[in-house]
Amino acid sequence: MNYQKHKSEESVEDYLETILLLGKQMPQVRSVDVANELNYSKPSVSVAMKNLRQKNYVTVSDEGYIHLTEEGRALAETVYERHSLISGWLISLGVNPEVAAEDACRMEHDISAESFAAIKRCISEFTGQKEAGQA
């Protein structure tokens, strides 16, 4: 995969994860909320929302409220699960929580499904939990 395509997919995942998390904090999510959370310009978020709509990851109501589609929610939840599990694991290893969160942000996009499943199994076995990474 070329670098530009990878960065584009990473950006999509970041937007979807942000929309998911904002949706847990507030009744309605708007582009301005996403812009404020990510510290991006409103025009940049507007372009991103158009891209996410074209990929069928979100819908935007006439009032400007953003809703994740089934496909968008599934991808957002996958990214969030990876982030939560990896950051929690790093913290348990003694990594500073801020560093762990930053590292998890980078790792959540690059780790394969196979490697993530193996890490998840290992953490689950080590901690004796049925399901590691449940947020």
Side-chain angles (χ1 to χ4, degrees), residues 67-113:
H67 303 279
L68 293 168
T69 63
E70 195 172 310
E71 185 178 359
R73 179 169 299 282
L75 182 53
E77 288 176 350
T78 296
V79 173
Y80 181 63
E81 177 189 23
R82 288 177 176 194
H83 179 90
S84 299
L85 183 94
I86 292 168
S87 63
W89 177 49
L90 292 172
I91 290 167
S92 75
L93 295 174
V95 176
N96 174 294
E98 285 182 25
V99 173
E102 290 171 11
D103 287 345
C105 280
R106 287 189 293 276
M107 294 168 69
E108 70 195 26
H109 302 293
D110 292 326
I111 193 167
S112 70

Side-chain angles (χ1 to χ4, degrees), residues 115-127:
S115 293
F116 180 72
I119 290 170
K120 189 175 175 179
R121 260 190 326 274
C122 180
I123 292 170
S124 178
E125 290 170 9
F126 181 75
T127 61

